[in-house]
Amino acid sequence: MTEPRWAIEAQGLVKTFGAQRAVDRLDLQVPVGTVYGVLGPNGAGKTTTIRMLATLLPLDGGTASVFGHDVATDAHRVRQLIGVTGQYASVDETLTARENLDIFCRLHGLRGKAIRTKSDQLLESFGLSDAASKPLQNFSGGMRRRLDLAASLISRPPLIFLDEPTTGLDPRTRGQMWDTIRELVHDGSTVLLTTQYLDEADQLASRIAVIDTGRVVAEGTSDELKAQVGASSLHLTLDDAARTEEAGRIVASSVGSEVTVTPEARRLTSPLADADHVTDTLVRLREAGIRVTEMSVTKPSLDEVFLTLTGRGSSAAETPDDAEERAA
Amino acid sequence: MTATAITPGFARALPRHVPLRQTVSDSLVMARRALVKMRRTPEQLIDVTVQPVIFTVMFTYIFGGAIAGDVASYLPAFIPGILAQTVLTGASAAGTTLREDMDKGVFDRFASLPIARIAPLAGALLGDIVRYLIATTITFAMGFLMGWRPEGGVVGVTAAAVLVIAVAWALSWIFALVGVTAKSARGVQGISFLILFPLTFLSNAFVPVDTMPGWLQGFVDVNPVSHVITAVRDLCNAGTFGTDGWLALLGAVTVVAVFAPLTVAKYRRHAR
């Protein structure tokens, strides 16, 4: 075996559920020691891809390896290298947090005092010590996710799959999850993360694959992708509807691009290549005596990314996810 | 987190297969999980606690007079019969429990762990032995309370308990196969009952076989449950172990030999 550079290398992955191709000749190369983001809408094939890479689903085509070990023919070795945290917490609802960790520690070969030490350490670092003896029925969504992730880290795996780790979490818990993920990579793990949020991929991932209908439609660093997608937008709402046209001319000359004017709503919208232009725009509006009641800058949404990369909105690909879950 | 760095993926020496010793220990850990779950959800134990109490008392007083003349003379024949019925009812839940478990996310985690594929299955069935033990103890205790005094003594009764639990464990593989095959827990329950009722009622459990029509007697005689019940009667009431005991064990071994590989194969396809 020549020195493999990839934590994950997948070529031409295919998975079909009935007549539906959930994953369609998907290629992926994940460098060691990074967070790799897989970005896509519901039903794009993200979960199916992770399940194949994590040996949970057989491949219908193509090849995939984890640190050089083939997922199809060397599944037991692959399982020793990965931790999987699914979209839905994969822990025992009827058991307490500590009982869950106890079972998983034992399945990883720990015995005696080592179980207590390991469980304590994980409960502590995931802020679950106080709730350790409560059954999971009383846990919030965020607590379940944290326990789920804690259980995935018992063996300190070098590769961690996180399937939409923050979907449905409140902003504070989401931030905590992001910190945890950064620490994992800092400690030397490789993380494959799926997400529906461009923002999340942007914050965490050093490289991103955008997938749609089971294929990679774009791949690169966050900046490379944004360059393809285009800039943020500036939205302004004015006090005086009569002056929208005049304001439009000022904004256009300040940001240097075309402005969409909606006088009846007193609104102006313009692409924003450089955030610095906002200051100039506002200063010049003030000089002209035009009052602004509302101002916002929005980043490109996933919808816009999709519109740009695939030529259609992401909502078109909504149904396959249900089929995927039933078949899986 | 911790200060220690994670061992890189390429730097790890990894066994290619699960060693047999680990298969055994993984299965025992999964059995342990089944026991912890029983403690957390005691309502799971109703069929092996409340049910034996009610059924034993109810059937004794309903059938006793009609079949044996009086309750006391019915007990030696009836307690082994109701024991087999109760423990097998307990075994028939194996499929439903397994199906419900497999539908939960936690089985995904088991499948992604470097453990023996058979462990979640074997562990669940091993954990069930505790249920059979509870059912057996309660049934015997109820019989004793109603005046049953087994001639076979402690040794005979204990041997009978071991025999009936071993057979129940063997037959639980049939229900486990239903569990891994059927689509939903409700379906599993329906099919399990369809298997359970002929097995237990079309036997010598409750009434003398010679009161049945000839064609039915034919089935009752080949039904392994009949042999178990006769063997349990011999052990409890006389302390002897004869042909029926051996036939019961042979039946149990055959069931395991046929159904365990089928169940594991089916389960692996699911758990792959």
Side-chain angles (χ1 to χ4, degrees):
Chain A
M1 186 166 48
T2 53
E3 181 121 327
R5 291 159 50 225
W6 309 107
I8 301 172
E9 190 171 18
Q11 264 168 3
L13 279 192
V14 174
K15 185 74 209 176
T16 48
F17 296 122
Q20 170 91 41
R21 274 211 162 185
V23 174
D24 188 8
R25 285 163 286 162
L26 183 133
D27 300 324
L28 211 59
Q29 287 180 320
V30 177
V32 175
T34 60
V35 178
Y36 192 94
V38 173
L39 179 69
N42 273 336
K46 303 189 297 289
T47 301
T48 308
T49 303
I50 280 205
R51 289 178 64 84
M52 282 196 281
L53 295 173
T55 77
L56 294 173
L57 267 184
L59 278 55
D60 287 346
T63 57
S65 62
V66 167
F67 293 107
H69 302 292
D70 191 294
V71 298
T73 60
D74 223 352
H76 183 60
R77 279 197 177 127
V78 171
R79 291 184 193 120
Q80 293 168 72
L81 293 166
I82 60 172
V84 189
T85 295
Q87 209 165 331
Y88 307 99
S90 41
V91 281
D92 253 317
E93 293 284 308
T94 47
L95 271 50
T96 67
R98 190 176 285 286
E99 285 165 344
N100 264 291
L101 288 178
D102 179 273
I103 298 292
F104 294 127
C105 282
R106 285 173 191 278
L107 290 175
H108 280 292
L110 299 183
R111 290 292 181 274
K113 259 194 78 177
I115 296 174
R116 183 90 199 179
T117 315
K118 188 62 150 181
S119 304
D120 280 344
Q121 178 207 325
L122 286 168
L123 288 166
E124 173 75 40
S125 57
F126 283 90
L128 293 168
S129 301
D130 293 339
S133 305
K134 290 187 188 133
L136 295 197
Q137 278 111 332
N138 307 327
F139 271 39
S140 68
M143 286 160 85
R144 275 172 220 222
R145 292 286 180 85
R146 294 202 309 264
L147 178 65
D148 201 15
L149 183 54
S152 306
L153 302 180
I154 291 169
S155 63
R156 301 182 58 73
L159 174 62
I160 298 158
F161 293 102
L162 297 176
D163 192 11
E164 302 201 9
T166 65
T167 300
L169 296 190
D170 61 72
R172 192 175 64 93
T173 322
R174 173 172 298 179
Q176 286 171 353
M177 189 60 97
W178 286 1
D179 290 341
T180 309
I181 294 168
R182 290 193 186 101
E183 278 174 64
L184 287 173
V185 175
H186 180 262
D187 287 351
S189 279
T190 306
V191 174
L192 181 85
L193 165 102
T194 70
T195 180
Q196 300 185 43
Y197 310 117
L198 180 63
D199 179 38
E200 182 160 283
D202 195 6
Q203 289 276 337
L204 292 171
S206 41
R207 288 191 81 80
I208 299 167
V210 181
I211 70 170
D212 182 39
T213 57
R215 287 181 187 226
V216 175
V217 292
E219 207 268 352
T221 64
S222 169
D223 285 341
E224 285 166 4
L225 287 177
K226 274 192 218 152
Q228 285 187 52
V229 171
S232 309
S233 319
L234 171 67
H235 306 274
L236 292 171
T237 310
L238 304 180
D239 189 33
D240 184 359
R243 302 191 68 181
T244 8
E245 291 297 334
E246 182 190 351
R249 282 192 296 277
I250 296 175
V251 175
S253 73
S254 310
V255 300
S257 48
E258 245 174 79
V259 177
T260 315
V261 182
T262 326
E264 53 277 20
R266 297 167 293 152
R267 279 176 66 87
L268 303 167
T269 303
S270 141
L272 188 68
D274 185 344
D276 246 6
H277 293 158
V278 177
T279 325
D280 303 341
T281 311
L282 293 178
V283 167
R284 288 181 59 188
L285 287 173
R286 162 70 56 86
E287 282 166 356
I290 299 173
R291 283 177 56 85
V292 175
T293 56
E294 231 178 80
M295 196 279 298
S296 64
V297 175
T298 53
K299 289 184 179 175
S301 68
L302 183 58
D303 246 354
E304 286 166 297
V305 174
F306 264 81
L307 209 54
T308 316
L309 293 173
T310 66
R312 59 179 181 77
S314 61
S315 53
E318 234 160 44
T319 37
D321 204 39
D322 301 342
E324 188 178 311
E325 258 150 42
R326 256 181 280 115
Chain B
M1 204 71 32
T2 47
T4 42
I6 286 163
T7 317
F10 296 119
R12 297 184 181 207
L14 306 167
R16 196 160 177 196
H17 297 287
V18 184
L20 185 63
R21 247 189 65 190
Q22 195 201 327
T23 304
V24 174
S25 71
D26 288 345
S27 302
L28 291 176
V29 172
M30 296 305 292
R32 186 192 180 93
R33 167 177 176 267
L35 296 186
V36 177
K37 275 185 71 171
M38 274 178 214
R39 218 180 60 209
R40 287 283 163 200
T41 47
E43 63 270 21
Q44 268 186 32
L45 294 176
I46 284 180
D47 61 339
V48 292
T49 52
V50 180
Q51 193 183 311
V53 172
I54 293 175
F55 277 25
T56 309
V57 174
M58 197 172 72
F59 283 125
T60 302
Y61 291 108
I62 294 176
F63 295 147
I67 292 167
D70 61 83
V71 164
S73 15
Y74 186 48
L75 285 173
F78 172 70
I79 291 298
I82 191 77
L83 173 71
Q85 211 242 0
T86 304
V87 177
L88 284 184
T89 307
S92 75
T96 321
T97 318
L98 209 55
R99 180 74 258 169
E100 280 174 352
D101 234 9
M102 283 166 69
D103 289 340
K104 285 180 187 147
V106 71
F107 259 66
D108 259 6
R109 179 177 299 284
F110 294 145
S112 77
L113 291 177
I115 59 170
R117 299 294 94 185
I118 191 180
L121 199 62
L125 296 188
L126 280 175
D128 274 348
I129 287 178
V130 172
R131 290 162 45 81
Y132 310 152
L133 192 62
I134 295 171
T136 305
T137 311
I138 290 179
T139 307
F140 279 153
M142 287 313 295
F144 203 77
L145 281 178
M146 287 187 293
W148 179 51
R149 295 293 176 270
E151 306 268 318
V154 177
V155 177
V157 170
T158 310
V162 172
L163 177 70
V164 85
I165 290 171
V167 171
W169 183 81
L171 294 184
S172 74
W173 282 99
I174 300 178
F175 300 108
L177 177 64
V178 177
V180 297
T181 309
K183 292 258 183 287
S184 68
R186 188 182 288 231
V188 175
Q189 199 169 29
I191 299 168
S192 295
F193 275 135
L194 280 180
I195 299 172
L196 176 73
F197 279 105
L199 269 183
T200 53
F201 278 98
L202 302 186
S203 72
N204 57 2
F206 304 107
V207 295
V209 182
D210 51 29
T211 62
M212 302 175 189
W215 57 269
L216 188 55
Q217 287 186 29
F219 179 83
V220 170
D221 285 340
V222 296
N223 185 352
V225 175
S226 298
H227 296 292
V228 178
I229 292 167
T230 308
V232 170
R233 281 175 185 152
D234 290 348
L235 281 166
C236 290
N237 299 326
T240 57
F241 188 83
T243 320
D244 282 295
W246 292 114
L247 284 175
L249 286 177
L250 180 71
V253 171
T254 313
V255 167
V256 175
V258 173
F259 284 89
L262 284 175
T263 310
V264 173
K266 197 84 192 164
Y267 172 75
R268 279 178 80 113
R269 215 164 304 151
H270 173 95
R272 220 229 71 115

